[in-house]
Each structure stands twice: as structure tokens, then as C-alpha cells.
Amino acid sequence: MEPYRVKVVESISLPSREERERALQRAGYNLFNLLSEEVYVDLLTDSGTSAMSDRQWAGMMLGDEAYAGSRNFVHFESTVRELTGFPHVLPTHQGRAAEHLLFTQFAHRGDIVPSNMHFDTTRAHVLRVGAKPLNLAVPEAYDPASPHPFKGNLEVPKLVELLEGPSGASVRLVMVTITNNTGGGQPVSLANLREVSRVCHEHGKPLYLDICRWAENAYFIRSREPGQSDRSVPEIGREIFGLADGATMSAKKDGLVNIGGFVATRDEKLAARLKEDLILYEGFPTYGGLARRDLEAISIGLREASDERYLEHRIGQVRFLADLLSVGGVPIMQPPGGHGVYLDVPRFLPNLPADQLPGQALVVELYREGAIRTAEIGAIMFGDGETPPARSLELVRLAIPRRVYSESHLRYVAKVVRAVWARREAVRGLRMVEAPEHLRHFTARFAPLGH
Ligand code: F0G
């Protein structure tokens, strides 16, 4: 049962079949181009789409909008320090701004940035400075049917081989994303993080974590990793952060806010350089591109997101939807991850070859069937030819916003997906008619094949 009750509501409605068809045409079959009123259940992302609590809204009213030295910054900084142990904390307007600051310092032309799997903006920031993003997740991460409990893990022998090989000197930092969004919201185990940390530090390389879904990751460690069930989520979090040199965070996920993020580090000299760039690109270090009231909401949200009753329900919702789909035979990434259910496109639409963009075709079909908005995480998002993936996944993500939808919304979503599954052989492919060079999934336009 939800560990909260509803105090404010927002109405939603189902557009007619004709309205959906017209919306698809106008949007160039890219659901990023839809108006939100054209969507019934919006599973495009779990980022910045959470419902804030009454306490967070109350915190917003306590905004001290001073340019410098706001009390909300003091609260924010002490919360992040207490949760993570990182002494230097710089607020940013969202996660990609933190990535911008970090990679500007750490990655240059010809460098290699290894990670378990880079997400879209992380990858794009590495590419922007002329460096190479390298995914080193364990082989199970690429097998949607594998029940491995920690498919976010990094393959440590591969990392050792890289660091000790001819390209070792080109690695200036190692990143690990918890949970692994690109690979299905899959967690990284504490044992793996300990190993990665040891290897990085033996080779003199700093380890940075992308911690936007750290609380969900810590919850999985608590429930799946031997010997961890008696520890609290914040306690596990402190051990995770203690293994790293710093972190970037989009607070739009496990900060339970609609905007905000930060970069944090133990390195005092680096912090001074980051601060200079922060002032240039984001704002003064006690606000970093945010209203001060937003910092208050983050500092309350970070604590609420590590509450176990909240997490039990949150992860339970994802599992609930995954179970409804599995029972109907729908192929999904197993085990279900922390922030959404990911459909396994090659098994869902085996008849559509890769050049007919099956992931996007499925996204379009789910909207056409029931006005649910989902996201392709596959060839369109990552296959722009810069770094052709050696091993790849073709997924459609049904991301679940935090504290927003109820069990009956999820039942509706399952009904829609199962209806498309039942008529999967009739799903038509698409072609891309317009696309920018980078991050093309946001603005590309498509057309149905045969038109
Ligand atoms: N890192 C990861 C793992 C992410 O999932 C995201 C955003 C970011 C960094 C960037 O953060 O959006 O605040 O700039 N992911 C969103 C998503 C957009 O839909 O998964 P941001």
C-alpha cells in the first residue's frame, strides 16, 4: 500500500484514437514532441516528474532568496555532506550540468572514460570534449533474460586490463552509474564497488559515481546482497560513497524534486577549479543555477528518498507492473530494475529488422494503443556511429515517476502493452527522416515505412 495519501490532484484524460493519430503525425512520430495533454499515462521518464511531499512544499516557502549565503544552501550542503561524506558540494541546475563541470576538468581529447554503462548525457559530454566513453558492464548486463541480481556491475578484469594496457594512461577517471539506467535500472553490488574502488586506487585513478538513483541501488543491495539485510539504506549509502572520490547527482531522481543536482568531491584543489566553472556556467556556489527554495526541497527530498517504507513501495510498484507483463508473456528485462520496466524489443518484435527501428516503432505503437508515453533506449539513443557499441541492448523503457501513479494506472499500462503484444505481428517499422548529430532521440523525426 502507498505509504502516503493524496492531497493535490491533477486531472488526466484519454485522447480519442483520431486525436492520437493526429498527434503522432504532428510529432514526427517522436514522443518528445507531444504535448503532455496528449498523453494519458506518462512513462517517458522518472526524472523531475516526482510528486513532492507536503514537507518539501513547506520547505519551498522557507526559501531565503539571497544571492549569497542563503540558509537553504546551508541546509542543502549539510544534508549532502551527512548522507555522502563528501566535503565539497556544488549545486547545479540538474545532473548534466554536474557532468559538464566534471568532464571539463577530467576528460580531454583522446582520453578514455570507462563506466559500467554511460547514459545519454554522460556519453554526450564525454564525446563533446573529444574523449571516448567505454562501457565495461558484466556480460549478463547484455542478456535481458539473465536473472543475475546485480547486472549493473562493472567487469573488473576488463578494467584491470584497460588500466594496465597501453591505453591506461589515457584514463583520468573511472565512472560507475548506480543504478545502471542504460541497462535496465540494474543495481551495482557493494562487493563490485569495493573491487572497482580498490583497482582504481591501486592504479592512481579517481573513482566518481553517478548517484542519481543511489537510494534505489542501496535498497537492492539491502534486499539482495548476502550479509546486508540488517543495514539501513543510509548506512549502505555511506559505505558506497566512502569508496569513491566524488559524485555527480541529478536530484530529479532520488532527490524527489522537479529540478536540481550537484557535483561533490573530496579533492579540495579540484573543488576550487569546479567552483570557478560553476560561477561561469551555473551561478554563485550557494545557489548554482537554482532558486534557493529548490535547494530546500532537495535537502528534504534526499532524506525522504532513502526512507525504507518509501523504497519498498517504489521498487514494489516496478515489480508489480513487471509481474503483470510477465504473466502475459511479454518479454522484459529481468529482473525488473529500480525505476522502470524495460521491454526487450528483439523478442517483442522479432520480425522487424534493426533498420526498421523496432524500438521506436514499439514506442509509437504503445502511444497509438493507449496514449502511454515511453522511451526508446537503444539504436536511436546510442547508435549515432561515434562509438558503435560492441554489445548492445534494444529496450523500450516504461519509467515510473515517483509517488505519482497508482496501482490502477499500472494495470491500465499493462493492459495497453499486452494489447500491442497480442497484435505484434502487425506492427510496422519506421524510418528516420531528420536527425541532429548528437542526442538525436530528443529531436529526430520519423515516418512510417511505406509513406
Ligand atoms: N545520469 C543518469 C544515469 C541519468 O539517468 C540522467 C538523466 C542524468 C545523468 C542526467 O541528469 O537529466 O538531471 O541532467 N536521466 C533522465 C532519464 C533524463 O530519463 O533517464 P539530468
Side-chain angles (χ1 to χ4, degrees):
M1 186 165 106
E2 283 78 1
Y4 50 81
R5 56 187 175 190
V6 177
K7 185 139 49 181
V8 176
V9 297
E10 180 184 2
S11 68
I12 52 174
S13 60
L14 176 65
S16 69
R17 192 162 281 278
E18 298 71 47
E19 284 167 334
R20 295 188 317 253
E21 207 52 60
R22 269 202 306 279
L24 278 174
Q25 279 171 21
R26 200 204 68 244
Y29 298 86
N30 183 341
L31 273 50
F32 281 98
N33 292 331
L34 292 179
L35 294 172
S36 119
E37 290 102 89
E38 291 165 333
V39 176
Y40 195 22
V41 179
D42 201 347
L43 308 183
L44 182 69
T45 179
D46 63 319
S47 180
T49 51
S50 303
M52 291 211 296
S53 68
D54 50 356
R55 292 175 62 256
Q56 285 177 292
W57 281 110
M60 297 280 277
M61 292 306 291
L62 300 177
D64 159 13
E65 300 300 338
Y67 189 97
S70 154
R71 66 173 164 261
N72 310 115
F73 174 74
V74 177
H75 295 164
F76 164 80
E77 181 184 48
S78 68
T79 303
V80 177
R81 278 183 178 160
E82 188 191 314
L83 283 173
T84 68
F86 298 127
H88 307 287
V89 184
L90 290 81
T92 58
H93 77 275
Q94 60 181 77
R96 68 199 68 183
E99 289 163 6
H100 173 208
L101 297 175
L102 189 72
F103 291 129
T104 302
Q105 291 299 329
F106 266 117
H108 302 103
R109 186 158 297 284
D111 285 350
I112 298 173
V113 182
S115 177
N116 43 352
M117 279 192 208
H118 288 274
F119 193 58
D120 60 351
T121 56
T122 327
R123 177 175 179 273
H125 272 291
V126 174
L127 290 172
R128 190 186 68 90
V129 296
K132 183 180 164 201
L134 185 67
N135 292 339
L136 294 179
V138 292
E140 290 86 349
Y142 294 92
D143 175 5
S146 158
H148 192 292
F150 292 103
K151 288 163 99 169
N153 284 358
L154 195 141
E155 198 172 5
V156 178
K158 281 260 166 64
L159 180 64
V160 174
E161 197 183 306
L162 172 72
L163 295 179
E164 294 181 357
S167 308
S170 311
V171 177
R172 312 244 334 270
L173 90 165
V174 175
M175 284 291 288
V176 177
T177 304
I178 58 172
T179 56
N180 175 12
N181 184 12
T182 308
Q186 300 293 322
V188 181
S189 73
L190 201 48
N192 189 252
L193 285 167
R194 287 180 189 141
E195 274 295 287
V196 171
S197 170
R198 184 182 58 74
V199 167
C200 287
H201 296 128
E202 272 174 16
H203 292 81
K205 310 288 182 190
L207 170 62
Y208 277 76
L209 303 176
D210 176 335
I211 60 169
C212 61
R213 298 182 182 86
W214 75 269
E216 291 168 4
N217 199 104
Y219 185 83
F220 279 124
I221 288 176
R222 190 182 124 98
S223 47
R224 293 183 184 167
E225 194 157 346
Q228 299 300 321
S229 59
D230 292 337
R231 301 176 75 190
S232 72
V233 165
E235 201 181 333
I236 294 170
R238 274 190 296 277
E239 180 174 349
I240 294 175
F241 304 128
L243 295 166
D245 298 276
T248 55
M249 175 153 188
S250 166
K252 297 168 74 174
K253 285 86 167 170
D254 280 353
L256 290 169
V257 288
N258 306 119
I259 197 73
F262 60 83
V263 52
T265 181
R266 294 184 199 290
D267 181 337
E268 194 176 344
K269 287 206 181 96
L270 173 71
R273 295 202 303 275
L274 289 172
K275 225 174 239 186
E276 284 178 33
D277 284 351
L278 182 75
I279 294 171
L280 188 60
Y281 292 108
E282 292 285 294
F284 192 71
T286 61
Y287 72 87
L290 292 163
R292 275 54 77 199
R293 55 184 175 271
D294 292 324
L295 293 171
E296 193 65 33
I298 297 173
S299 99
I300 298 167
L302 282 170
R303 289 186 199 282
E304 290 181 356
S306 60
D307 176 274
E308 271 131 51
R309 280 189 331 128
Y310 154 79
L311 282 165
E312 188 182 339
H313 174 259
R314 158 97 185 129
I315 308 276
Q317 267 203 329
V318 177
R319 203 174 39 239
F320 174 76
L321 177 59
D323 288 349
L324 288 180
L325 295 176
S326 298
V327 167
V330 176
I332 63 167
M333 168 67 88
Q334 291 288 2
H339 64 290
V341 176
Y342 290 58
L343 306 177
D344 181 11
V345 177
R347 280 191 295 150
F348 201 117
L349 297 175
N351 300 331
L352 278 195
D355 63 355
Q356 297 189 18
L357 310 177
Q360 189 63 20
L362 184 51
V363 162
V364 164
E365 217 50 46
L366 294 170
Y367 177 76
R368 181 176 273 136
E369 177 67 32
I372 63 174
R373 176 153 69 170
T374 57
E376 189 257 17
I377 298 200
I380 294 164
M381 187 178 276
F382 294 111
D384 55 17
E386 290 269 6
T387 48
R391 293 176 294 191
S392 61
L393 286 163
E394 194 60 44
L395 304 166
V396 163
R397 183 183 70 178
L398 285 66
I400 305 193
R402 294 166 181 78
R403 304 192 293 210
V404 170
Y405 291 118
S406 67
E407 199 175 295
S408 48
H409 291 116
L410 298 179
R411 282 189 196 282
Y412 171 79
V413 168
K415 199 178 88 184
V416 170
V417 177
R418 287 170 65 164
V420 174
W421 171 244
R423 59 176 178 76
R424 58 193 176 276
E425 269 152 34
V427 173
R428 283 162 55 201
L430 296 169
R431 65 193 165 90
M432 203 182 297
V433 290
E434 219 180 283
E437 199 180 333
H438 295 301
L439 292 171
R440 54 192 191 160
H441 50 294
F442 289 116
T443 53
R445 294 182 75 82
F446 306 90
L449 280 176
H451 281 240

